């Protein structure tokens, strides 16, 4: 169906599109980290690529109170930024993250407010749903998110990475659903997303119920990550290269793909197809289709095309 659509419009499109427009935009001159946040470092290592780094290296990137709100603000800003097409997430220092900062978060968790059991429970629920949004906002962001994990990824770190679209890790990385060891069930995303990431429900149950560590090779074989690298430097380089490949494609196509992949994950095939048809009834009218078809016929990379911001 798409090929028919392309052929019928290509001739008309050639008249209106100037070949000189198909140029690669210059990389951002600002590659350094500039951040309004206390727990995150934000940089722009390449055009249309945003790098979000967990940045409490002296605390093993433990997730304190500020982190939970700053992630929401950060990804809401990214979602609305037409200049960003893809995100890379990584951790500063020796590990990706040690998980929740229990010392800083103890008040919210252990001393909830309320005059009776019902009110205490109501307030606890409000706190939990607020923390859930910290990682759901990653999934809701239409820009693809590539996460690069090195060293430890514990507790809330697993919640975070399972909300991302592509997961990479180093050979020394390890993952642990730590919550049962501290007396609670994981409640901000792991138990809901990990079963849809890993094909084996038995393995998910084992990891969640025993809190044992999963190392890089098992993470790769189980599907938690798609690639394993020798060290952090090689992994970050590969993550940025991958981000560049994604950023070089039509943002209409890329963001539509992410939205529909997530929708289809949570719905039947029939529902997913119906949603896709409704989505593309408007999205196929973009000039990006014609630009991409033209480049393909001329055996050029999509990265040579100057796509409009979205």
């Amino acid at each position: 169906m798409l090929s028919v659509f392309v052929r019928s419009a290509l001739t008309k499109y050639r008249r209106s599109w100037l070949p000189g427009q198909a140029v690669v935009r210059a990389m951002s001159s600002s590659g350094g980290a500039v951040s309004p946040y206390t727990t995150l470092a934000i940089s722009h290592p390449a055009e249309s690529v945003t790098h979000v780094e967990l940045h409490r290296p002296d605390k093993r990137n433990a997730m304190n109170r500020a982190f939970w709100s700053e992630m929401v603000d950060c990804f809401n800003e990214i979602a609305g930024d037409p200049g960003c097409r893809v995100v890379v997430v990584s951790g500063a220092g020796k590990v990706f993250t040690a998980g929740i900062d229990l010392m800083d978060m103890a008040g919210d968790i252990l001393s909830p407010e309320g005059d009776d059991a019902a009110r205490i429970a109501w307030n606890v629920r409000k706190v939990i749903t607020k923390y859930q949004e910290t990682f759901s906002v990653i999934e809701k962001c239409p820009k693809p998110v590539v996460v690069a994990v090195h060293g430890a990824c514990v507790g809330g770190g697993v919640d975070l990475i399972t909300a991302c679209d592509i997961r990479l890790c180093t050979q020394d990385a390890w993952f642990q659903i730590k919550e049962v060891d501290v007396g609670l069930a994981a409640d901000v995303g792991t138990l809901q997303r990990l079963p849809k990431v890993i094909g084996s429900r038995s393995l998910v149950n084992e990891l969640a119920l025993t809190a044992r560590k999963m190392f890089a090779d098992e993470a790769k074989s189980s599907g938690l990550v798609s690639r394993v690298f020798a060290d952090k430097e090689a992994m970050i380089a590969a993550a940025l290269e991958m981000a560049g490949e994604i950023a070089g494609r039509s943002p209409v196509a890329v963001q539509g793909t992410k939205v529909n992949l997530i929708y289809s994950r949570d719905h039947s095939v029939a529902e997913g197809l119906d949603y896709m048809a409704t989505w593309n009834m408007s999205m196929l009218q973009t000039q990006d289709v014609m630009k991409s078809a033209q480049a393909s016929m001329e055996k050029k990379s999509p990265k040579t095309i100057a796509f409009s911001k979205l």
Side-chain angles (χ1 to χ4, degrees), residues 209-274:
L209 295 171
T210 67
R212 77 164 175 85
K213 296 178 181 179
M214 171 189 272
F215 294 94
D217 289 342
E218 187 180 11
K220 172 69 164 58
S221 64
S222 69
L224 178 60
V225 301
S226 53
R227 296 174 66 182
V228 178
F229 298 87
D231 53 43
K232 182 181 179 182
E233 182 179 1
M235 176 184 63
I236 295 298
L240 292 175
E241 181 181 3
M242 185 182 298
E245 290 294 325
I246 295 170
R249 270 63 183 178
S250 159
V252 173
V254 167
Q255 294 180 39
T257 296
K258 173 171 177 173
V259 169
N260 279 275
L261 281 170
I262 292 175
Y263 184 91
S264 294
R265 180 198 65 188
D266 299 331
H267 295 80
S268 69
V269 172
E271 290 170 328
L273 288 170
D274 185 64

Side-chain angles (χ1 to χ4, degrees), residues 138-186:
I138 300 173
E139 192 172 79
K140 293 175 184 177
C141 176
K143 320 299 172 66
V145 180
V146 180
V147 64
V149 179
H150 73 289
C153 179
V154 179
V158 179
D159 295 296
L160 190 162
I161 68 168
T162 53
C164 298
D165 303 295
I166 299 171
R167 289 168 293 277
L168 313 176
C169 78
T170 56
Q171 191 63 57
D172 69 351
W174 52 273
F175 308 83
Q176 186 177 26
I177 305 172
K178 185 68 172 174
E179 283 79 356
V180 294
D181 277 357
V182 293
L184 58 98

Side-chain angles (χ1 to χ4, degrees), residues 19 26 44 59 78 84 91 136 142 144 155 173 221 258 267 276 297 302 306:
H44 305 280
K59 299 293 185 180
I78 288 171
C84 174
S136 292
S221 64
K258 173 171 177 173
H267 295 80
M276 186 77 252
M297 293 177 65

